[in-house]
Amino acid sequence: MPVALLALALSAFAIGTTEFVIMGLLPEVAGDLQVTIPSAGWLISGYALGVAIGAPIMALLTAKLPRKRTLILLMIIFIIGNVLCALAYTYNLLMLARVVTALCHGAFFGIGAVVAASLVAPGKQASAVALMFTGLTLANVLGVPLGTWFGQMFGWRATFWGVAIIGIFAFIALIVSLPTNKEEKPVHLASEISALANGKLWLSLLMTVFFAAAMFALFSYIAPLLLQVTGISDRGVSWTLFLIGAGLTVGNILGGKLADWKVSFSLILSFVLIALFSLLFSWTSHALWLAEITLFLWAMATFATVPGLQINVVRHGKDAPNLVSTLNISAFNVGNALGAWVGGAVIEKGYGLTSVPVAAAALAAVGLVICLITFRNSGGQGEAVNA
């Protein structure tokens, strides 16, 4: 295993932690900055918007730079953004700092995935991407709960100082371990933009949107579902989230191996299982152990999709791997917002919490249809990616 993959995974862990840890620190942030909880919640939306808009912009601005230098530059922005978060003394400054931090997020994951794939043989590229994204799943399993606890004990600013320190370690690891690819061809903006004319690329990005929508329609409202329908305690919710994080990690690894074998089969199977387990949860959510088992399987199926999605967009936009890979991260964040909105709309219409998994299953079904259209007449060709 190339050490550079571990450096990319450590970077992904730091970036994932800073994105999601704010959810556990909203009461502390709101109280300290004297804003309401809903207002503090916009710090989450502001970050997601920064990722969605910033990813393609940063990819284009850094297009002429070597990938190693780009990743190092993006990690510097990440460290500065977290330091600014720790120093922010008003809500507006914290929002600005979150947006600055978000600018590096999409481009780092997008370009980092291309670099990860280039570090291994063609038959192992999806597994390499999965290993990098394991850092993101571990951020949910370890980074977020530990960061939340640390912030509750020592103040929310201490968490951002801690993440900045992890970012410094990742920065050093990237400098030391990432190889300098002397054969890397300079990128021309015209060729990057012209690669967007591929219709299957946009279908692939749309597939990512509905994958993320299916995931976050359910995941965004998992706590009230567990509390009000399953009937578990607050501590039980925390343990269930840990279980989901473990499922995401396992699924990410298995999905990478499956996508190495055949991307199309991997994605079709994943969408089917996401729809199935989401629909099943609308029934098993009433029983504790059945709910726990279903959510673990749902989490596995969900993140088993990620490596295949990332590899698939690069396959259809191989003339502009940096740009299309970062666009995929933007598509993920668009789907995040769409899914959360759909789940909330279902609840507001009075259909009840148990209808949320049904809505998630419907979104996954749409993603499946897009998936089938994308791979129609492909004949299984072009499964490998040359980064």
Side-chain angles (χ1 to χ4, degrees):
M1 177 194 304
V3 177
L5 282 178
L6 297 179
L8 290 170
L10 177 61
S11 304
F13 174 81
I15 295 172
T17 298
T18 207
E19 177 182 18
F20 296 115
V21 76
I22 192 71
M23 298 177 185
L25 296 174
L26 284 185
E28 287 74 19
V29 172
D32 183 49
L33 299 181
Q34 298 181 343
V35 297
T36 64
I37 291 290
S39 294
W42 279 103
L43 294 168
I44 302 171
S45 302
Y47 188 97
L49 186 62
V51 173
I53 296 175
I57 293 175
M58 293 299 290
L60 290 173
L61 289 177
T62 59
K64 294 185 179 297
L65 294 177
R67 288 171 186 157
K68 177 178 180 177
R69 190 180 301 175
T70 298
L71 291 177
I72 291 171
L73 174 61
L74 292 172
M75 188 51 60
I76 291 173
I77 296 174
F78 172 81
I79 295 167
I80 293 172
N82 278 281
V83 169
L84 290 175
C85 286
L87 294 174
Y89 56 89
T90 68
Y91 172 81
N92 289 335
L93 286 177
L94 181 56
M95 176 65 80
L96 177 62
R98 289 283 290 171
V99 172
V100 169
T101 310
L103 289 177
C104 77
H105 182 121
F108 191 97
F109 275 108
I111 297 171
V114 175
V115 172
S118 71
L119 294 172
V120 297
K124 297 182 178 180
Q125 291 176 325
S127 292
V129 173
L131 179 57
M132 175 187 166
F133 276 85
T134 297
L136 182 59
T137 61
L138 288 177
N140 284 285
V141 177
L142 298 174
V144 172
L146 288 176
T148 300
W149 171 82
F150 196 72
Q152 291 170 343
M153 291 291 293
F154 303 104
W156 64 269
R157 299 173 192 277
T159 297
F160 288 103
W161 283 118
V163 174
I165 292 172
I166 297 173
I168 292 172
F169 282 113
F171 167 75
I172 296 171
L174 291 172
I175 292 176
V176 172
S177 66
L178 281 184
T180 301
N181 187 357
K182 295 181 179 179
E183 297 180 359
E184 186 178 324
K185 297 177 181 178
V187 175
H188 300 287
L189 291 180
S191 62
E192 288 269 305
I193 296 174
S194 64
L196 302 182
N198 187 339
K200 285 198 172 183
L201 168 62
W202 290 102
L203 283 173
S204 298
L205 292 172
L206 193 59
M207 198 190 309
T208 296
V209 169
F210 278 93
F211 151 72
M215 176 181 178
F216 283 96
L218 175 54
F219 201 25
S220 298
Y221 302 95
I222 195 66
L225 264 163
L226 291 169
L227 290 169
Q228 299 178 37
V229 179
T230 312
I232 65 177
S233 64
D234 289 339
R235 180 173 295 182
V237 172
S238 298
W239 280 109
T240 302
L241 291 175
F242 177 84
L243 180 70
I244 290 173
L248 295 174
T249 303
V250 173
N252 184 48
I253 296 171
L254 293 178
K257 295 185 179 299
L258 189 59
D260 276 334
W261 174 62
K262 194 166 187 179
V263 173
S264 56
F265 178 80
S266 170
L267 291 175
I268 291 170
L269 177 62
S270 294
F271 273 109
V272 169
L273 292 178
I274 292 170
L276 175 63
F277 291 130
S278 297
L279 196 60
L280 187 61
F281 184 63
S282 66
W283 173 67
T284 61
S285 59
H286 295 279
L288 176 60
W289 291 109
L290 289 175
E292 298 286 319
I293 293 170
T294 305
L295 285 174
F296 181 79
L297 294 173
W298 169 82
M300 283 183 59
T302 298
F303 248 57
T305 319
V306 172
L309 288 172
Q310 194 71 20
I311 289 294
N312 188 52
V313 296
V314 175
R315 176 161 66 90
H316 290 300
K318 58 182 180 295
D319 293 330
N322 290 5
L323 179 58
V324 300
S325 192
T326 53
L327 281 173
N328 196 46
I329 306 300
S330 294
F332 180 87
N333 280 270
V334 171
N336 180 338
L338 173 62
W341 176 80
V342 169
V346 166
I347 296 171
E348 288 181 353
K349 292 292 184 180
Y351 293 110
L353 284 167
T354 53
S355 63
V356 171
V358 178
L363 290 168
V366 175
L368 175 61
V369 171
I370 297 170
C371 188
L372 293 172
I373 294 172
T374 303
F375 293 113
R376 184 181 58 188
N377 300 326
S378 65
Q381 297 176 353
E383 294 288 349
V385 179
N386 295 316

